Amino acid sequence: MKTFRILLVFAALLSTAPALARVQIRIDLGAQRLTAMRGDGETVVWKISSGRPGYETPTGSYSVMRMEADHHSDEYDQAPMPYAIFFSPRGLAIHGSFERGLGRPASHGCVRLSVANAQKLYQWVEEQGGASIEIVGETRSAARRGPRVERPRFSGRPPVRDADSADVVLESVSRY
């Protein structure tokens, strides 16, 4: 009976080991930095480019949904997304980029890294059996703009109004 209990405890420890060893990824949108820490404590800090205005990277806590070492975007003309770590049902990922100028918002919501850094992060997540991803802050451009306001969208033509509604609008404007 004692041996059976020891085996159960040992099995429980083994089943929780990968969860403890997972990579912790923290993305700071304001600083445009990604910090990743392995289970053994090794930590890296890299420049990123997150979503540009109108395509902001969402904040929150995420986990890895899937990974693809050689992904190409179906939405953006087969743009390369090497070492993609997908974290959102919307198809957002942390991935490598051949674009220059990391350190400022530039993407359609994904988190871009240099290809070499994306490869290292990808390997860490594979080796450690997953990752927790926390995205915090807001981009400086979003902070300057203030809260997002929904505006009505029109087709290329101006809205059609009948004479009565136009008179009401003109009459109410002339009172101010």
Side-chain angles (χ1 to χ4, degrees):
M1 187 70 169
K2 188 174 182 179
T3 305
F4 182 71
R5 281 190 213 151
I6 291 171
L7 286 174
L8 281 177
V9 169
F10 185 69
L13 288 173
L14 285 178
S15 68
T16 60
L20 298 174
R22 294 168 61 106
V23 178
Q24 294 177 16
I25 300 170
R26 185 171 192 275
I27 297 164
D28 184 330
L29 299 175
Q32 291 291 289
R33 295 280 186 268
L34 177 148
T35 303
M37 185 173 68
R38 287 172 27 136
D40 63 5
E42 184 178 352
T43 302
V44 294
V45 177
W46 295 316
K47 279 189 205 180
I48 62 150
S49 283
S50 65
R52 66 181 185 236
Y55 298 95
E56 286 83 3
T57 302
T59 59
S61 297
Y62 302 91
S63 59
V64 176
M65 297 180 77
R66 76 178 198 277
M67 295 172 52
E68 290 185 42
D70 187 26
H71 183 78
H72 289 81
S73 172
D74 290 333
E75 290 184 51
Y76 298 104
D77 299 321
Q78 295 300 304
M81 297 171 60
Y83 305 104
I85 301 170
F86 290 90
F87 63 86
S88 161
R90 288 182 24 207
L92 299 179
I94 301 167
H95 64 81
S97 176
F98 298 101
E99 299 290 323
R100 298 172 75 172
L102 293 173
R104 61 179 175 73
S107 77
H108 283 102
C110 285
V111 176
R112 297 177 182 174
L113 294 169
S114 73
V115 175
N117 292 343
Q119 181 181 20
K120 183 172 186 172
L121 184 63
Y122 189 95
Q123 289 171 341
W124 279 14
V125 174
E126 270 189 330
E127 290 168 1
Q128 302 287 298
S132 61
I133 302 165
E134 181 184 7
I135 304 174
V136 299
E138 63 179 20
T139 59
R140 284 176 234 121
S141 58
R144 280 195 304 266
R145 277 198 328 271
R148 186 178 238 177
V149 177
E150 286 295 320
R151 301 195 193 304
R153 296 177 189 214
F154 300 108
S155 61
R157 296 178 290 183
V160 177
R161 293 194 175 134
D162 61 33
D164 292 334
S165 65
D167 289 341
V168 171
V169 171
L170 291 174
E171 188 176 294
S172 64
V173 169
S174 64
R175 289 184 187 157
Y176 294 106

